[in-house]
Amino acid sequence: MADFVEVASADDLARRVAELGEQISADYAGREPVMIGVLNGCVPFFADLVRAMSIDLAVDFLSLTRFDGSGRVGMALDAGVPLGGRDVILVEDIVDTGLTLVTLRKVLELHGLASLATVALLDKAPRRIVEVPLEYRGFEVGDEFLIGYGLDWNHLYRNARSLWAVMDLSVLQGDVDAFAPYAYPATV
Ligand code: IMP
């Protein structure tokens, strides 16, 4: 079996992100939402999604600190945009156990928002351990470890243009460069 399997090509991703952009634009017509990207994994998806939207919106970002072992997360919000009374849309790369999203929602709700919704490119639904609302999702995926289009392995490969499943993690554990030929295929 191949060590890496492409689960969504750059074209598949572009098509689905365009659909999400259209759907969210229709749902939020006239409301000027604040799109808040959850760093770092959201970056390619965020940039493509906001450009697929055809309504006025504001952008902001937040980052998470993980406390290893406890599963707790802390959050740093760049509160450049005051959130009170605003319609907020959280933009996530992937929802896995759901723990991150639950924490983020709780903290954001303290800001007195008009509404809060989440869009995640990927939903690892079978791995959920807490129930949490997910209003928009790009693709439902299985429980394989995924890399590319924002998702990383040890801080690498977020810039791969398509999305891949790692079928044997020991390959990357043994050689972090093993994915490079897939991530950066020759273009000529
Ligand atoms: P959750 O709290 O378990 O839902 O964690 C979500 C976070 O875990 C995501 O924002 C990613 O940073 C990370 N994550 C979960 N699954 C994957 C994966 O397959 N590849 C890369 N990162 C992942």
Side-chain angles (χ1 to χ4, degrees):
M1 199 213 300
D3 296 328
F4 305 101
V5 173
E6 190 178 52
V7 295
S9 68
D11 283 348
D12 295 335
L13 291 164
R15 257 192 308 273
R16 187 67 189 118
V17 173
E19 285 171 4
L20 285 171
E22 266 177 43
Q23 190 187 346
I24 297 171
S25 298
D27 293 351
Y28 284 78
R31 288 162 69 192
E32 207 173 304
V34 185
M35 310 290 292
I36 300 186
V38 183
L39 296 171
N40 295 334
C42 76
V43 168
F45 176 47
F46 189 93
D48 289 343
L49 180 67
V50 294
R51 288 177 299 167
M53 291 177 61
S54 54
I55 57 172
D56 283 339
L57 53 82
V59 306
D60 216 333
F61 294 94
L62 61 80
S63 53
L64 298 172
T65 343
R66 272 172 221 286
F67 301 97
D68 288 339
S70 71
R72 286 181 300 136
V73 289
M75 178 178 115
L77 176 67
D78 170 14
V81 182
L83 298 180
R86 299 295 301 265
D87 295 301
V88 169
I89 304 177
L90 262 179
V91 183
E92 278 256 41
D93 50 0
I94 185 166
V95 180
D96 183 10
T97 61
L99 291 171
T100 306
L101 186 52
V102 164
T103 307
L104 289 179
R105 289 188 61 100
K106 271 195 204 135
V107 176
L108 285 170
E109 272 160 4
L110 299 174
H111 288 255
L113 312 179
S115 70
L116 176 59
T118 302
V119 51
L121 177 70
L122 303 164
D123 180 8
K124 260 189 190 180
R127 284 182 40 92
R128 201 77 89 249
I129 59 178
V130 283
E131 257 187 63
V132 61
L134 179 53
E135 286 78 5
Y136 304 95
R137 67 171 175 196
F139 302 93
E140 183 170 345
V141 292
D143 61 3
E144 293 88 11
F145 192 81
L146 302 172
I147 47 179
Y149 197 65
L151 298 174
D152 74 314
W153 171 265
N154 285 351
H155 309 293
L156 284 178
Y157 303 128
R158 293 193 197 276
N159 57 327
R161 296 183 64 230
S162 56
L163 183 76
W164 295 76
V166 183
M167 306 314 285
D168 182 356
L169 275 177
S170 67
V171 172
L172 276 181
Q173 284 157 348
D175 174 15
V176 72
D177 293 326
F179 182 63
Y182 302 84
Y184 318 122
T187 51
V188 285

